[in-house]
Amino acid sequence: MAEWRKIERDVRDALGEGTLWSACDNAVYWVDILAPALNRLSLTDGSVERWDMPEPLGWVVENEAGDLIGGFQSGIGRISADRCAVSHIAALEPHFPGNRMNDGKADRHGAIWCGTMDTAEEEARGSLYRIDPDGTWQVMDRDYMVPNGPAFSVCGRWLYHSDTAKRTIYRFTITDTGIADKKAFIQFGEDDGYPDGMTVDREGCLWVAHWDGGRVSRFDPDGVLDSAIALPARRITNITFAGEGLDRMFVASAAIGATESEFDGALFEVESDATGIPPGIYRG
């Protein structure tokens, strides 16, 4: 039977998200979008650090220099080596001041894929962006209410991305110029909650966090449910594989709107018997 443990710390995340394994730091990073804050769990000594951020922060990725690039409400920023300062790089949506970043990852080619959303969740005005290493960006898909979980297949052929509000995970074909062939790949039912963050394991299976579903699920490359691991928090948000062998799974959750408990808003380590693939590094 799969087991989990709660990472002990003195704070719960209002909206934990954006989990990232850093081989450089031997640590797991994740964000608390609404605090806003950046968290780091050291796998060397088990210590947890937390830094206040100047505005809502949806995700972080590493670049080749070991810096963190973050998706903030106002756009893209670089987080300093001591994680205490942020320098602005670019604004993606100045025409939508009510939008914010929600989730993002780097691919094997060194580009960042990330989604934006209406913070109030009233209009489907979010978009999926690709930010290239030269700093240019383009809209790859539109009309999202709550974009989540970009993940990439092991073979490099497919991009997985969801609109959480529609309970739908899409699969795109990755082309030389972008993406094509958008397909509804997995449809959640009411009992499943909503699909949130995602990652892929070495066998090509897709792991999905269930917002309002209290679990993580593994789907095979055809989108068929393979297994599920129940967790004590209701709003599970994001997943990453970590450690030297990429055989340790860490899962974030949210306390906002959930019943008051020590588990809502916690970070968990989960025994999954699966192995992940290395996270992408931004080449910009």
Side-chain angles (χ1 to χ4, degrees), residues 42-66:
S42 169
L43 298 193
T44 301
D45 61 14
S47 62
V48 179
E49 296 177 89
R50 183 175 172 97
W51 298 272
D52 293 335
M53 291 287 111
E55 58 183 79
L57 172 63
W59 51 264
V60 289
V61 303
E62 279 190 304
N63 67 6
E64 293 180 306

Side-chain angles (χ1 to χ4, degrees), residues 163-222:
D163 191 329
T164 296
K166 296 177 182 177
R167 302 183 194 264
T168 303
I169 300 172
Y170 300 101
R171 190 180 74 182
F172 300 82
T173 300
I174 299 175
T175 69
D176 290 340
T177 57
I179 50 176
D181 305 323
K182 183 178 182 178
K183 171 187 176 182
F185 184 58
I186 298 169
Q187 186 69 50
F188 273 30
E190 288 191 15
D191 292 341
D192 298 319
Y194 299 84
D196 208 305
M198 298 181 280
T199 193
V200 172
D201 67 24
R202 191 168 294 175
E203 296 180 359
C205 294
L206 182 67
W207 288 83
V208 183
H210 290 242
W211 176 273
D212 279 348
R215 61 191 184 274
V216 295
S217 290
R218 184 183 195 240
F219 296 87
D220 72 16
D222 294 320

